[in-house]
Amino acid sequence: MKASLKAKYDAEKATAASAVTLAFNAGDVKLRASLTEATIVNGPSLNGLALAVDKPGAFTIDYNVPKKDFRFQFMNTIKVSEKPLNLTYSHNLGDHKTILDGTLVIDSDNKVSVNHVLGSGNCKLKYTYVHGGLTTFEPSYDLAKDSWDFAVSRKVYEDHVLRAAYQTFSQDLAVDWSTKSKLIGSYKVSALFNLEGGLKVPRVTAESTWDFEM
């Protein structure tokens, strides 16, 4: 059985949070159970408990136990002019929201993505370009907000990635440093700057994940 332990620290709130995920294979599907400190800190409860059934590349079913809410996600790939088009259909029963995602893989360095919430004017377009296998540029346009977002990430060494993303509508600038290693696990440090009215002290968060066999 595979398990993972995730911890997160928010410098603004000066609090640490943790989450535990247990997963094991059942044929060609995976079963997962996730819980947070809210599940056990004040005695056993259903708070923070989530269950999932996942078949990679086909479907995912999530169940939020305290909210009694299901989320369904189905994936498929079709060919368009010999190019793979990855389609994802997501539906949340609780808020009756349905989301369609489509990503056309032009080649190994270029992708075009569309995200649309059915029944709304919310539609996002994104173009992804990978330069030299190390640097990724991701401009995107939000039709509902009539605004552009820009993101760029750079692989540093073998396991480290630096990423910066700017949202023009909210004037938020997010800077992330992340690393993933089989020996020390996964770590991510994020700083969020709001540039409206000038540069301010950023909100800093850090999270780490360790995977292990049980």
Side-chain angles (χ1 to χ4, degrees):
M1 179 185 297
K2 293 183 178 180
S4 63
L5 173 64
K6 183 176 182 179
K8 184 176 182 179
Y9 178 77
D10 190 325
E12 183 177 273
K13 297 180 178 179
T15 58
S18 60
V20 176
T21 300
L22 300 177
F24 61 93
N25 296 327
D28 57 351
V29 300
K30 294 182 178 180
L31 305 180
R32 287 183 286 112
S34 302
L35 53 90
T36 68
E37 79 282 356
T39 313
I40 57 177
V41 68
N42 293 319
S45 71
L46 298 180
N47 294 328
L49 178 62
L51 306 174
V53 179
D54 175 34
K55 183 176 182 179
F59 67 84
T60 299
I61 301 175
D62 294 287
Y63 180 59
N64 187 311
V65 178
K67 294 182 179 180
K68 299 180 181 179
D69 187 18
F70 279 97
R71 175 178 175 270
F72 301 92
Q73 188 175 73
F74 300 95
M75 294 80 77
N76 195 14
T77 300
I78 62 176
K79 291 285 186 177
V80 176
S81 299
E82 300 303 317
K83 306 293 184 181
L85 174 60
N86 302 319
L87 300 172
T88 302
Y89 168 92
S90 303
H91 181 71
N92 286 71
L93 287 181
D95 55 13
H96 306 288
K97 180 186 291 186
T98 301
I99 302 174
L100 296 179
D101 284 286
T103 300
L104 179 64
V105 182
I106 301 173
D107 54 39
S108 59
D109 296 330
N110 297 273
K111 294 187 297 185
V112 178
S113 304
V114 178
N115 175 281
H116 174 60
V117 179
L118 292 184
S120 75
N122 192 345
C123 184
K124 298 179 181 179
L125 308 175
K126 183 172 71 173
Y127 172 65
T128 302
Y129 169 64
V130 181
H131 180 72
L134 297 176
T135 306
T136 302
F137 300 92
E138 294 178 303
S140 60
Y141 179 68
D142 191 321
L143 273 69
K145 297 178 180 178
D146 188 23
S147 65
W148 286 89
D149 298 333
F150 302 92
V152 59
S153 59
R154 172 77 178 184
K155 184 180 293 185
V156 183
Y157 303 111
E158 183 176 354
D159 301 322
H160 303 269
V161 175
L162 291 174
R163 185 177 187 271
Y166 178 67
Q167 295 181 336
T168 58
F169 183 81
S170 61
Q171 298 187 41
D172 284 339
L173 172 64
V175 180
D176 302 328
W177 168 78
S178 60
T179 181
K180 186 175 183 179
S181 170
K182 294 181 179 180
L183 297 177
I184 62 174
S186 301
Y187 295 85
K188 181 179 179 181
V189 178
S190 304
L192 179 64
F193 302 83
N194 184 269
L195 304 183
E196 185 178 5
L199 187 63
K200 304 173 184 177
V201 177
R203 178 176 181 175
V204 179
T205 58
E207 61 182 65
S208 59
T209 305
W210 298 272
D211 298 320
F212 53 92
E213 296 285 344
M214 295 181 65

